[in-house]
Amino acid sequence: MEQEKEIVSKNFIEQIIDKDLEEGHYTTVHTRFPPEPNGYLHIGHAKSILLNYGLAKKYNGKFNLRFDDTNPTKEKTEFVESIIADVKWLGADWEDRLFFASNYFDQMYEAAVKLIKKGKAYVCDLSAEEIREYRGTLTEPGKESPYRNRSVEENLTLFENMKNGMYEDGSKVLRAKIDMASPNINMRDPVIYRVARMSHHNTGDKWCIYPMYDFAHPIEDAIEGVTHSICTLEFEDHRPLYDWVVRELEYEHPPKQIEFAKLYLTNVVTGKRYIKRLVEEGIVDGWDDPRLVSIAALRRRGFTPESIQKFVDLCGISKSNSSVDYAMLEYCIREDLKLKRPRMMAVLDPVKLIIDNYPEDQIEYLDVEMNLENPELGMRKVPFGRELYIDREDFMENPPKKYFRLFPGNEVRLMGAYFVKCVSFEKDENGNVTEIHCTYDPETKCGTGFTGRKVKGTIHWVAAKTAIKAEVRLYENIIDEEKGVYNEDGSLNLNPNSLTVLKDCLLEPEFAKAQPYDSFQFVRQGYFCVDAKDSKPEALVFNRIVSLKSSFKLPK
């Protein structure tokens, strides 16, 4: 019974792997994550990385990081470096197993020659447009190319001439000879090599012909000894071609392709074309702008690898495409941070509070817990004095009912400190409150066991003399959720309030120790992270990771 329960709890990929191992198709499990270095990775890639790495780890197998760099038109070293950083940050350890598809170009060329010699590939002179016309439709079979029956010798000569740069770009291609009447259009003599005089980030100008992805990918997997080539559902129709390539090239232990559903998040932008536009038009400040869901952006905003792993686990692995609410991702980061991070005081919209009966030059240091829910984080010393700052929203001249914060005549607790009672306030010529005057009761110091009376409100504060200044950035979804992602013309429905910058925030002095990527809970405000790009020790910048409250409920 125990064994049956274990099998039921496994996802469909694990069940396939178990069967393959039991039947002796493979003796080990070897997976890979194969990004094309043509942009930054996003949250959907995180699912693939963690799935592939997790399977290798679970079965005590191997995991490769391999760059599918067969298309030099869009590939850059910048993207290679960013992907390496992202995969490493997520915790997927490829050890010394870092590979580039371009390192196999010689073997891919030899593989193409082998197919020509077997009569399974031919050089075709049709233009790209003619190839499309000859291919047919979903309901009509394709037509054979007039060059399909060239001799093996002629094809070998022409292909070598392609390699030697004797033909113009686009003038000739090498095609697999399969079946122009196949119901699967991918099997209708697909192009497997094209002439393209482009400099490659890894091989320079060595090659002027480059393999197509559908031909290169199965060869890469086979060369590296990958057993299970796990990819997303859009490659399901390409699987017969994948299998054809490894079969015709007679690999002893051919890899198996398995498809799973992509991860779609509601109201976010993942398309590289759209992000590129946002970057180029200066709407965001780069591929790592915290409003995006690239892995670099999530890291900069303050998400943790553990929160993303939890999110991927909650989403599960299936064969059906579906969308996940962004609120689930926010739930995961809250759950990860709530017991790990200190809860400290930051005043985002400061107004001065003066305690008239507190000694003028006195500064005392109060013992305050780092995190009330996790005593193991310990205590900190917080300076307290006559002049403080509180958040403007914590005072009202004429409050509504059930407003328990500060107003004339009302008494509240200053968090970790004393009771204070509002006795007066001052305004400027525009009617804005500039100073709030209070008196304090020295008997009510927090931690002394005072039980004389109770107050309904507690507000946070920082001492004026020791407060440090910081810039705080508040984020909303970059997409206007009510209007949907796209306009009728295909442009993005951008939210004009996606970024709010608060320049004059005041924080308790403990924050001066904060380093890039350090995260904290700002009392009553949410979770915040030190911005790794713009923050400096003398000019701190914090990004709000997520607010404190969520509408998301974990499914039962």
Side-chain angles (χ1 to χ4, degrees), residues 108-138:
M108 290 175 192
Y109 178 80
E110 292 304 320
V113 168
K114 181 173 184 173
L115 290 181
I116 292 171
K117 286 178 177 176
K118 289 179 72 173
K120 298 289 186 176
Y122 63 95
V123 174
C124 181
D125 297 3
L126 293 177
S127 68
E129 193 177 326
E130 289 170 329
I131 289 173
R132 271 194 298 274
E133 288 172 10
Y134 274 58
R135 189 177 287 135
T137 66
L138 291 170

Side-chain angles (χ1 to χ4, degrees), residues 194-238:
R194 80 277 198 202
V195 178
R197 282 171 180 75
M198 293 179 287
S199 191
H200 190 282
H201 77 95
N202 190 25
T203 58
D205 296 320
K206 178 181 176 182
W207 295 91
C208 63
I209 57 170
Y210 289 98
M212 304 300 285
Y213 176 87
D214 279 348
F215 176 64
H217 194 81
I219 294 173
E220 296 155 29
D221 285 343
I223 289 171
E224 292 174 13
V226 168
T227 56
H228 296 86
S229 181
I230 297 159
C231 56
T232 45
L233 277 179
E234 71 264 34
F235 292 101
E236 190 168 26
D237 289 341
H238 298 246

Side-chain angles (χ1 to χ4, degrees), residues 273-438:
R273 180 164 57 98
Y274 289 108
I275 295 175
K276 192 162 178 274
R277 258 179 62 194
L278 292 174
V279 172
E280 287 172 352
E281 293 174 17
I283 295 163
V284 297
D285 74 353
W287 289 79
D288 63 350
D289 186 290
R291 288 167 288 178
L292 301 174
V293 290
S294 66
I295 295 174
L298 291 168
R299 180 165 72 247
R300 182 179 167 196
R301 184 154 171 178
F303 281 80
T304 60
E306 295 85 354
S307 67
I308 293 173
Q309 177 73 67
K310 184 178 181 67
F311 175 67
V312 167
D313 290 345
L314 284 176
C315 291
I317 306 298
S318 77
K319 288 283 271 186
S320 304
N321 282 326
S322 60
S323 290
V324 178
D325 197 323
Y326 185 81
M328 187 195 281
L329 182 59
E330 293 182 320
Y331 164 83
C332 292
I333 187 62
R334 282 191 197 94
E335 285 295 298
D336 186 52
L337 295 182
K338 70 181 181 183
L339 296 179
K340 289 182 181 177
R341 298 296 187 261
R343 297 177 183 178
M344 291 162 61
M345 294 189 283
V347 176
L348 304 191
D349 185 12
V351 61
K352 186 169 274 191
L353 182 148
I354 300 170
I355 305 174
D356 294 332
N357 63 333
Y358 192 87
E360 195 155 340
D361 297 320
Q362 181 174 314
I363 290 283
E364 66 174 306
Y365 287 85
L366 305 172
D367 290 315
V368 180
E369 281 190 280
M370 283 290 196
N371 187 323
L372 287 169
E373 290 185 60
N374 185 3
E376 288 183 13
L377 291 185
M379 309 287 287
R380 69 187 187 279
K381 297 281 187 186
V382 180
F384 182 86
R386 183 172 187 268
E387 294 190 0
L388 311 172
Y389 283 97
I390 65 169
D391 255 308
R392 192 169 290 278
E393 67 172 20
D394 285 341
F395 174 80
M396 290 187 81
E397 182 181 358
N398 298 300
K401 284 185 178 179
K402 296 192 176 178
Y403 181 84
F404 299 123
R405 284 171 263 174
L406 206 55
F407 55 88
N410 193 43
E411 190 173 43
V412 299
R413 177 176 284 287
L414 294 176
M415 186 174 288
Y418 299 93
F419 286 7
V420 293
K421 185 174 186 177
C422 177
V423 293
S424 66
F425 60 93
E426 296 174 25
K427 290 182 176 182
D428 62 17
E429 63 275 12
N430 298 316
N432 298 312
V433 175
T434 55
E435 286 185 359
I436 302 159
H437 288 265
C438 293

